[in-house]
């Protein structure tokens, strides 16, 4: 059985992070939150852009952000906002949820918090 992960926060998902899927952890909706137009870059702080390793003027050249870029931006924003668990209707959030758990979760998608916060 294949495992699915959120492309942004690395949460284990019951199904693929595909159109319309909203991640309970980072709260992002696939094909909606990650469909980012240049004018929507305002939603990201300079710190988010910096954490993601992007320069705004470079990204403004795109008609819409490539999905990998969008995921990286949303991941940076989520990390900079403290890796908060967004929706817990299904009681999926581990009791000991915090930065350490977030780090473990991000390792599911080979991402390292330190790559974002130590820039
Ligand atoms: Zn997520």
């Amino acid at each position: 059985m294949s495992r699915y992960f959120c492309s942004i926060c690395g949460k284990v998902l019951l199904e693929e992070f595909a159109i319309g899927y909203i991640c309970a952890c980072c709260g992002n909706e696939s094909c909606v939150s990650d469909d980012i137009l240049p004018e929507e870059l305002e939603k990201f702080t300079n710190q988010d852009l910096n954490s993601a390793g992007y320069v705004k003027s470079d990204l403004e050249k795109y008609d819409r952000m490539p999905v990998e870029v969008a995921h990286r931006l949303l991941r940076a924003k989520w990390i900079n906002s403290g890796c908060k668990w967004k929706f817990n209707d299904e009681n999926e959030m581990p009791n000991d949820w915090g930065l350490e758990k977030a780090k473990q979760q991000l390792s599911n998608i080979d991402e390292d918090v330190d790559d974002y916060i130590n820039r």
Side-chain angles (χ1 to χ4, degrees):
M1 198 182 121
S2 49
R3 297 180 82 199
Y4 301 109
F5 302 106
C6 172
S7 310
I8 296 158
C9 70
K11 180 188 178 296
V12 177
L13 305 178
L14 296 175
E15 54 188 280
E16 198 175 350
F17 191 64
I19 189 159
Y21 196 103
I22 299 173
C23 175
C25 179
C26 66
N28 287 297
E29 181 171 357
S30 182
C31 304
V32 177
S33 308
D34 53 6
D35 185 12
I36 302 170
L37 301 171
E39 55 267 33
E40 292 174 307
L41 288 171
E42 288 169 21
K43 291 190 286 194
F44 300 92
T45 64
N46 285 333
Q47 192 192 356
D48 295 337
L49 287 157
N50 195 38
S51 294
Y54 297 128
V55 174
K56 196 173 184 183
S57 55
D58 289 341
L59 298 182
E60 283 167 343
K61 293 170 192 157
Y62 294 116
D63 292 332
R64 47 184 10 115
M65 299 308 123
V67 73
E68 315 79 60
V69 171
H71 287 165
R72 194 166 173 85
L73 281 169
L74 291 166
R75 193 178 304 119
K77 189 175 183 64
W78 180 69
I79 290 170
N80 286 332
S81 308
C83 302
K84 292 199 184 75
W85 194 287
K86 191 112 184 199
F87 305 117
N88 199 27
D89 307 348
E90 311 285 334
N91 289 313
E92 289 181 281
M93 186 179 83
N95 288 329
D96 53 350
W97 179 254
L99 188 59
E100 285 311 309
K101 285 281 169 183
K103 282 183 179 180
Q104 286 174 25
Q105 188 173 278
L106 281 163
S107 72
N108 289 336
I109 52 170
D110 293 321
E111 292 287 347
D112 185 346
V113 170
D114 293 333
D115 287 344
Y116 291 80
I117 57 180
N118 290 336
R119 281 178 182 271

